[in-house]
mmCIF file of all heavy atoms in Angstrom:
data_model
loop_
_atom_site.group_PDB
_atom_site.id
_atom_site.type_symbol
_atom_site.label_atom_id
_atom_site.label_comp_id
_atom_site.label_asym_id
_atom_site.label_seq_id
_atom_site.Cartn_x
_atom_site.Cartn_y
_atom_site.Cartn_z
ATOM 1 N N LEU M 533 142.195 168.499 18.339
ATOM 2 C CA LEU M 533 140.997 169.220 17.858
ATOM 3 C C LEU M 533 141.130 169.644 16.412
ATOM 4 O O LEU M 533 140.414 170.465 15.927
ATOM 5 C CB LEU M 533 140.742 170.441 18.769
ATOM 6 C CG LEU M 533 139.992 170.113 20.023
ATOM 7 C CD1 LEU M 533 139.738 171.423 20.800
ATOM 8 C CD2 LEU M 533 138.673 169.431 19.731
ATOM 9 N N ASN M 534 142.141 169.066 15.720
ATOM 10 C CA ASN M 534 142.259 169.357 14.285
ATOM 11 C C ASN M 534 142.325 170.856 13.984
ATOM 12 O O ASN M 534 141.602 171.366 13.141
ATOM 13 C CB ASN M 534 141.079 168.726 13.564
ATOM 14 C CG ASN M 534 141.294 168.707 12.057
ATOM 15 O OD1 ASN M 534 142.441 168.621 11.599
ATOM 16 N ND2 ASN M 534 140.230 168.778 11.281
ATOM 17 N N MET M 535 143.205 171.551 14.690
ATOM 18 C CA MET M 535 143.428 172.967 14.458
ATOM 19 C C MET M 535 144.165 173.116 13.133
ATOM 20 O O MET M 535 144.824 172.197 12.698
ATOM 21 C CB MET M 535 144.152 173.601 15.619
ATOM 22 C CG MET M 535 143.413 173.544 16.947
ATOM 23 S SD MET M 535 141.886 174.510 16.887
ATOM 24 C CE MET M 535 142.530 176.194 16.847
ATOM 25 N N PRO M 536 144.101 174.348 12.514
ATOM 26 C CA PRO M 536 144.733 174.546 11.215
ATOM 27 C C PRO M 536 146.210 174.154 11.210
ATOM 28 O O PRO M 536 146.740 173.643 10.209
ATOM 29 C CB PRO M 536 144.611 176.064 10.976
ATOM 30 C CG PRO M 536 143.464 176.493 11.833
ATOM 31 C CD PRO M 536 143.417 175.575 12.987
ATOM 32 N N SER M 537 146.904 174.356 12.356
ATOM 33 C CA SER M 537 148.336 174.037 12.427
ATOM 34 C C SER M 537 148.602 172.591 12.040
ATOM 35 O O SER M 537 149.709 172.291 11.599
ATOM 36 C CB SER M 537 148.804 174.292 13.850
ATOM 37 O OG SER M 537 148.132 173.455 14.745
ATOM 38 N N ALA M 538 147.606 171.760 12.199
ATOM 39 C CA ALA M 538 147.819 170.324 11.972
ATOM 40 C C ALA M 538 148.431 170.039 10.581
ATOM 41 O O ALA M 538 149.198 169.110 10.420
ATOM 42 C CB ALA M 538 146.507 169.564 12.131
ATOM 43 N N ASN M 539 148.060 170.886 9.604
ATOM 44 C CA ASN M 539 148.562 170.629 8.277
ATOM 45 C C ASN M 539 149.664 171.575 7.799
ATOM 46 O O ASN M 539 149.958 171.608 6.611
ATOM 47 C CB ASN M 539 147.394 170.629 7.274
ATOM 48 C CG ASN M 539 146.351 169.608 7.670
ATOM 49 O OD1 ASN M 539 146.704 168.524 8.061
ATOM 50 N ND2 ASN M 539 145.103 169.987 7.647
ATOM 51 N N ASP M 540 150.253 172.349 8.718
ATOM 52 C CA ASP M 540 151.302 173.302 8.313
ATOM 53 C C ASP M 540 152.494 173.049 9.211
ATOM 54 O O ASP M 540 152.591 173.516 10.324
ATOM 55 C CB ASP M 540 150.726 174.722 8.528
ATOM 56 C CG ASP M 540 151.772 175.791 8.227
ATOM 57 O OD1 ASP M 540 152.994 175.447 8.096
ATOM 58 O OD2 ASP M 540 151.378 177.000 8.144
ATOM 59 N N PRO M 541 153.505 172.331 8.688
ATOM 60 C CA PRO M 541 154.621 171.854 9.522
ATOM 61 C C PRO M 541 155.415 173.049 10.153
ATOM 62 O O PRO M 541 155.843 172.975 11.313
ATOM 63 C CB PRO M 541 155.530 171.045 8.608
ATOM 64 C CG PRO M 541 154.690 170.781 7.390
ATOM 65 C CD PRO M 541 153.623 171.766 7.333
ATOM 66 N N ASP M 542 155.592 174.174 9.393
ATOM 67 C CA ASP M 542 156.318 175.310 9.921
ATOM 68 C C ASP M 542 155.590 175.892 11.131
ATOM 69 O O ASP M 542 156.148 176.190 12.198
ATOM 70 C CB ASP M 542 156.505 176.422 8.862
ATOM 71 C CG ASP M 542 157.493 175.947 7.800
ATOM 72 O OD1 ASP M 542 158.188 174.945 8.031
ATOM 73 O OD2 ASP M 542 157.525 176.604 6.718
ATOM 74 N N LYS M 543 154.302 176.092 10.926
ATOM 75 C CA LYS M 543 153.491 176.674 12.010
ATOM 76 C C LYS M 543 153.481 175.753 13.217
ATOM 77 O O LYS M 543 153.633 176.212 14.356
ATOM 78 C CB LYS M 543 152.071 176.912 11.512
ATOM 79 C CG LYS M 543 151.175 177.723 12.478
ATOM 80 C CD LYS M 543 149.806 177.922 11.911
ATOM 81 C CE LYS M 543 148.891 178.595 12.918
ATOM 82 N NZ LYS M 543 149.004 180.065 12.898
ATOM 83 N N ARG M 544 153.361 174.477 12.924
ATOM 84 C CA ARG M 544 153.378 173.460 13.984
ATOM 85 C C ARG M 544 154.660 173.579 14.816
ATOM 86 O O ARG M 544 154.602 173.568 16.036
ATOM 87 C CB ARG M 544 153.285 172.093 13.285
ATOM 88 C CG ARG M 544 153.530 170.871 14.152
ATOM 89 C CD ARG M 544 152.201 170.330 14.668
ATOM 90 N NE ARG M 544 152.184 170.524 16.120
ATOM 91 C CZ ARG M 544 151.123 170.323 16.892
ATOM 92 N NH1 ARG M 544 149.962 169.986 16.331
ATOM 93 N NH2 ARG M 544 151.208 170.524 18.169
ATOM 94 N N GLU M 545 155.782 173.758 14.117
ATOM 95 C CA GLU M 545 157.036 173.822 14.841
ATOM 96 C C GLU M 545 157.158 175.123 15.672
ATOM 97 O O GLU M 545 157.627 175.083 16.811
ATOM 98 C CB GLU M 545 158.215 173.744 13.809
ATOM 99 C CG GLU M 545 159.500 173.205 14.375
ATOM 100 C CD GLU M 545 160.664 174.145 14.141
ATOM 101 O OE1 GLU M 545 160.914 174.418 12.951
ATOM 102 O OE2 GLU M 545 161.269 174.569 15.144
ATOM 103 N N ARG M 546 156.742 176.228 15.093
ATOM 104 C CA ARG M 546 156.668 177.501 15.824
ATOM 105 C C ARG M 546 155.836 177.381 17.098
ATOM 106 O O ARG M 546 156.218 177.777 18.218
ATOM 107 C CB ARG M 546 156.147 178.619 14.975
ATOM 108 C CG ARG M 546 157.004 179.090 13.855
ATOM 109 C CD ARG M 546 156.631 180.493 13.367
ATOM 110 N NE ARG M 546 155.245 180.649 13.032
ATOM 111 C CZ ARG M 546 154.662 180.397 11.847
ATOM 112 N NH1 ARG M 546 155.407 179.892 10.847
ATOM 113 N NH2 ARG M 546 153.373 180.594 11.637
#
Side-chain angles (χ1 to χ4, degrees):
Chain M
L533 278 183
N534 192 31
M535 296 297 289
S537 61
N539 301 319
D540 177 349
D542 289 347
K543 189 179 174 86
R544 170 92 248 171
E545 207 234 302
R546 289 201 308 275

